[in-house]
Amino acid sequence: MPAQEPITVLTWFWRQPEGRITYKPEHVNIWADMVRRNLSMPHRIACVTDIPNGIDPSIDIITPPRDFEDATIPTWGPARPQCLRRLAMFSPNAGAIFGQRFVCMDMDCVIAGPLDSLFETDAEFKIYNGTAPDRLYNGSMMLLKAGARAEVYNRFTVKDAALAGRRFVGSDQAWISHILGAGQPTWGPKDGVNWWDRSKSVPAETRLMFFPGYFKPWQFVETVPDEWVSKHYRRTPHGRSLILGYADTVWDELEAALETGPFDAVIASPEAAEHWPGEILAIAEDDQHAEKLAVMHGLTDAVWCGRQAMAV
C-alpha cells in the first residue's frame, strides 16, 4: 500500500482595511508551533498569503487563488472578517493548490492537546460546529478531501451570498450553511474542541480553543493574567531576547549585554523603545509582562538590562 500523502494544515493571512483585529506574522508563527507540538501524523504546515514577510521559513507559503477575494456579505460588516476567499478550498482544483487532504484552522486559537484523533477520519468534509443554537457551523476549522462539496464553490454568487447572510451568521460559514444545510460531520465539545467564553472556565478536556469575536489569545497573554492561555499559546523555544526594562540602569548595563549577542529580538519598555535604534518586537508594561512576552515568542533565553528590583 502506498504511503499516504501528508495532510496539509493551513491557515489564511491577509490584511483587511477597517478590520477590527490586526493579525501579524508572529501570530502565524505561534499557531504553527502549537500545531507542530500537538500533531504527530505526517503533515506539512502552510499559510495562504501574499504577505509572507516575517513568517517563519519552515512554513510553506501558498499563493492565494484570489477567488471571491473582493466578495462580501453585507450583513457581515466591514470590521468583521470577510472570509469568502476561503471558499477556494472547495474548488474542483483545490488539490493542486492546497494538497489532496487538508485542514484549515484559524490562527487565533489555543492548541492544548493532541490533534491526531481529530484528523483521523474517513470523512471527506468535516467542520467545527456552530457556537450558538442558530448557527450550523463555524469556519474556524474545516477538513476537506480535495474536491469534496464542490457545490459550495460552483454555486457561489454574490446575490445568493447576501441571502445566505440574512439566514445565517458569518461570511464563508454562512454560505457553507446555506448550501450544505444541517447534518454535516462536525467537531465539538465531545472532541475537546471549544470556543472561548469568558463567562465560563475552560473545560478540563479542552485540546483546542477557538477565539471568535473580539478577544484573541495573545491579548490574554499580554494584558490579562490567564495561566491556561499563557501555558499553551506560545512559540517553541528557539532564540534569545534582549529585554530593556524600566530601571535607571538600563543603558549602563546595555554595553555588557550587547557583548553576549547576537539577539533574535528586542522587548522594551516604552521609554527604552523610543531610544533603541533598531526594531522592537514588543512593548512591555512591566518586567512581568516582558517575561510573558518573551515566553510567548519562544525567546526563553533572555538577557536583561534595567530589570527592576523585586519588592520585599
Side-chain angles (χ1 to χ4, degrees):
M1 178 179 294
Q4 186 178 27
E5 179 181 341
I7 191 170
T8 298
V9 185
L10 62 88
T11 195
W12 290 69
F13 175 44
W14 70 88
R15 305 284 190 203
Q16 182 171 315
E18 301 181 49
R20 66 188 181 188
I21 303 295
T22 300
Y23 294 93
K24 302 177 181 179
E26 62 224 47
H27 302 145
V28 179
N29 297 335
I30 294 172
W31 165 81
D33 274 9
M34 289 190 294
V35 172
R36 289 193 187 96
R37 290 197 299 268
N38 291 285
L39 187 62
S40 62
M41 66 170 56
H43 66 277
R44 71 169 181 133
I45 297 177
C47 180
V48 186
T49 188
D50 57 4
I51 41 176
N53 289 345
I55 294 177
D56 193 280
S58 65
I59 301 170
D60 290 347
I61 300 299
I62 297 175
T63 302
R66 303 203 181 283
D67 297 327
F68 318 132
E69 192 171 79
D70 297 326
T72 61
I73 286 186
T75 52
W76 198 242
R80 298 175 182 272
Q82 292 284 348
C83 303
L84 292 173
R85 70 193 70 205
R86 299 195 306 192
L87 297 179
M89 296 186 297
F90 294 88
S91 165
N93 190 44
I97 302 170
F98 307 106
Q100 291 305 309
R101 192 163 173 269
F102 54 91
V103 175
C104 172
M105 297 175 65
D106 284 355
M107 72 180 79
D108 50 355
C109 68
V110 173
I111 305 175
L115 296 172
D116 291 66
S117 63
L118 299 179
F119 305 156
E120 290 170 345
T121 173
D122 294 328
E124 292 187 338
F125 171 70
K126 197 166 186 176
I127 188 168
Y128 179 39
N129 61 203
T131 57
D134 60 344
R135 302 175 190 179
L136 296 181
Y137 309 117
N138 184 281
S140 294
M141 184 163 69
M142 294 179 274
L143 178 151
L144 287 104
K145 180 180 178 181
R149 308 299 190 272
E151 62 268 32
V152 173
Y153 179 90
N154 292 332
R155 292 175 55 186
F156 181 83
T157 68
V158 172
K159 179 180 178 180
D160 288 342
L163 173 63
R166 293 193 290 272
R167 294 184 62 203
F168 300 103
V169 172
S171 55
D172 61 336
Q173 71 189 30
W175 178 252
I176 293 167
S177 299
H178 176 74
I179 293 297
L180 298 182
Q184 297 296 318
T186 61
W187 297 285
K190 67 182 186 305
D191 306 296
V193 183
N194 295 291
W195 63 281
W196 180 266
D197 184 343
R198 57 179 175 164
S199 67
K200 300 178 181 178
S201 59
V202 177
E205 69 281 3
T206 298
R207 71 177 78 186
L208 180 54
M209 180 79 76
F210 289 106
F211 286 68
Y214 289 93
F215 296 97
K216 301 302 176 187
W218 50 88
Q219 296 170 333
F220 289 90
V221 175
E222 296 175 353
T223 62
V224 181
D226 188 283
E227 295 304 318
W228 186 86
V229 175
S230 297
K231 178 181 178 181
H232 301 291
Y233 187 77
R234 58 179 175 80
R235 291 207 66 181
T236 301
H238 69 282
R240 306 181 72 222
S241 62
L242 175 65
I243 301 181
L244 306 177
Y246 282 77
D248 294 338
T249 58
V250 57
W251 304 116
D252 295 334
E253 297 169 1
L254 180 60
E255 183 176 354
L258 290 176
E259 292 179 357
T260 72
F263 299 97
D264 297 284
V266 176
I267 297 170
S269 67
E271 181 177 335
E274 289 182 5
H275 299 282
W276 178 254
E279 183 177 350
I280 299 292
L281 174 65
I283 302 296
E285 297 176 357
D286 53 35
D287 288 355
Q288 184 180 22
H289 187 206
E291 290 176 340
K292 285 181 175 290
L293 290 170
V295 171
M296 183 177 77
H297 290 288
L299 304 168
T300 52
D301 182 4
V303 176
W304 279 83
C305 300
R307 189 167 194 167
Q308 294 178 312
M310 298 290 291
V312 179

